[in-house]
Amino acid sequence: MEPWRLRWAVPIAVLLMVQLCSESEAIEVKILKSGLESHVVGSEAKVMRQRVDHYNAQDHRTFGQRWYEHTDYFKAPDGPVFLRICGEAACSGISNDYLMVLAQEFGAAVVTLEHRYYGESLPFDDLSTENLRFLSSKQALFDLAAFRNYYQELLNQRHNRTGDDNPWIVSGISYSGALSAWFQIKFSHLSRGAISSSGVVLAVLNYTDFDRQVAESAGPVCASALRQVTAEVEEAVKKNATAIKELFSAGQLKNDGDFFYFLADAAAIAFQYGNPDRLCKPLEEVYTNNGDVVAAYAEIVKSFYIDYFGTSVDTYDQESLKNTTPGPHSGDRMWWYQVCSEVAYFQAAYEGSIRSSEVSVKYHLDLCANVFGAGMYPEVEITNLFYGGTAIYGSKIVFMNGSQDPWRWASKQTSSPGEPSFLIKCQNCGHGTDMRGCPQSPLQAKGDASKCDNPLEVLKARELISTFIGEWLAEPVKCLEQL
């Protein structure tokens, strides 16, 4: 997702579906530079002690959980606090995306908490399946609630206050976007509202809509070229699997399903993160001239997905996922555990898919059993029953999605009372466009939207986000002693 990795255009109306009730995002943070602006702020890590199991009062074990803060814009002592939820990757600081622009606008402090089991926030030194049983979105939500109150008390101590409560807003992208929406419905007394950017709130076992969106975003010519690549590679694997895998610099992937999953992701990532031309322009040129599409796609995969995007082929190797020792790539094992136990999001092929039929629901379930042990199965129905899926119902949650993002079908597509949903329409609007800009990876400093092919669409959506935050913050302040 992350489970897993200004020219003004003629405006297209933002799809705005708003219904207000009377109560009115697997991408690792990289420290890059864009001009003089860092892509990460507040990079000094601090640690709080967090309970290992929030559901067992008799379990007193704790672990160190990293967190970060950025207070340059904070209008102390009464300004708002923006909790930017960190998702399925190590946190090296706070992303300098559009949320920082909003923080400056509203005089907010920005804080983020590293997700349990990722980065250095490890409850255990051994990442065996038994020790992963405390890794879930439910435990993570309690972490966020505990951290929210911990930081609020810290603010009060800094400013010599007792029982005061700053207004809080939660936000996140992708899985953390789902966490922000879930936090708002489960802990609504702790926050004024939530921004769910590309929030994947629907757990899906057989997620064929992912590839349907990739094909639609690619257009008929590029999609046909990708299907031809898949068909030819399938035949090549039958004849000489080693040779064809080496062509894509993926010789270590002994499992054919892992290899085909890698090839499918390499295409999807271009649309997910707003780089469609990096894939389709060169591939279409070769395809329309009856050239060697497999060789052309292999070069795109190596130059774009591996070299430019920084993908490690090892993350697709089931044998690598079995490694229980914490390390730079242990986050891949952690996310697969969440996928295999809770949310699935299995990107499976369908008839006519651009993805090989080798990547089926069975492939995913076999992977889960192979990596984590027999009996591992995602509790999709329970997850959706607990949170509501796309029927999620609460108040003061805004959902934002990019029109080209294959993950948007696991997000909320229509509005409910209190949960307005917006679709940002443009050719390179993908995962987290509202916060990240275009392309979405690498991050554009402060969410720069000037590279979006229709920046006005993004700016309109951001105006709506700002309006809602302003309304939420205008509500009366609660005191901690009332909670």
Side-chain angles (χ1 to χ4, degrees), residues 104-354:
Q104 187 169 13
E105 177 183 351
F106 291 103
V110 183
V111 293
T112 194
L113 180 72
E114 187 169 61
H115 197 297
R116 59 169 53 210
Y117 284 87
Y118 292 92
E120 296 181 17
S121 299
L122 298 173
F124 305 101
D125 293 331
D126 171 28
L127 301 178
S128 62
T129 301
E130 172 65 18
N131 282 343
L132 299 186
R133 66 189 185 280
F134 303 110
L135 172 56
S136 70
S137 63
K138 301 175 186 66
Q139 294 280 4
L141 290 176
F142 272 100
D143 289 345
L144 292 165
F147 170 72
R148 184 266 189 213
N149 288 343
Y150 167 87
Y151 189 76
Q152 182 62 65
E153 291 180 8
L154 183 61
L155 279 183
N156 288 344
Q157 291 171 10
R158 287 177 182 174
H159 300 288
N160 297 315
R161 304 184 304 175
T162 302
D164 287 335
D165 198 43
N166 294 70
W168 285 68
I169 303 292
V170 295
S171 72
I173 303 172
S174 193
Y175 164 60
S176 64
L179 287 175
S180 69
W182 294 339
F183 185 90
Q184 181 62 20
I185 63 172
K186 298 299 182 182
F187 296 98
S188 58
H189 60 292
L190 297 181
S191 66
R192 298 294 188 87
I195 305 299
S196 181
S197 175
S198 301
V200 284
V201 294
L202 179 68
V204 189
L205 186 70
N206 188 15
Y207 191 23
T208 55
D209 282 337
F210 186 93
D211 279 4
R212 296 183 198 278
Q213 182 62 57
V214 171
E216 179 182 322
S217 298
V221 178
C222 188
S224 294
L226 288 169
R227 291 188 185 98
Q228 182 172 324
V229 168
T230 297
E232 292 188 15
V233 171
E234 285 178 331
E235 288 302 312
V237 165
K238 295 175 184 177
K239 296 175 182 177
N240 190 336
T242 300
I244 191 63
K245 290 174 183 178
E246 291 290 350
L247 179 64
F248 285 88
S249 297
Q252 65 264 53
L253 300 180
K254 306 307 179 186
N255 183 300
D256 293 345
D258 294 349
F259 175 59
F260 284 116
Y261 197 114
F262 164 69
L263 295 188
D265 263 7
I269 212 74
F271 306 103
Q272 180 173 331
Y273 289 113
N275 291 284
D277 291 342
R278 295 290 295 265
L279 168 70
C280 284
K281 279 190 175 181
L283 189 60
E284 286 178 357
E285 182 178 355
V286 173
Y287 177 72
T288 54
N289 289 295
N290 297 317
D292 188 341
V293 290
V294 172
Y297 187 56
E299 287 306 309
I300 294 169
V301 169
K302 289 183 287 189
S303 64
F304 174 63
Y305 195 44
I306 296 177
D307 294 339
Y308 173 80
F309 204 75
T311 300
S312 171
V313 179
D314 286 338
T315 64
Y316 291 86
D317 185 357
Q318 292 186 39
E319 295 309 304
S320 274
L321 293 176
K322 291 180 180 180
N323 186 357
T324 60
T325 302
H329 299 297
S330 59
D332 299 312
R333 175 175 170 81
M334 300 302 95
W335 179 241
W336 268 108
Y337 179 83
Q338 291 192 257
V339 164
C340 291
S341 63
E342 193 173 18
V343 291
Y345 304 135
F346 291 161
Q347 299 156 43
Y350 59 91
E351 186 175 354
S353 177
I354 62 172

Side-chain angles (χ1 to χ4, degrees), residues 255 258 318-319 322 364-374:
N255 183 300
D258 294 349
Q318 292 186 39
E319 295 309 304
K322 291 180 180 180
H364 288 87
L365 292 176
D366 287 347
L367 181 152
C368 293
N370 181 32
V371 173
F372 301 108

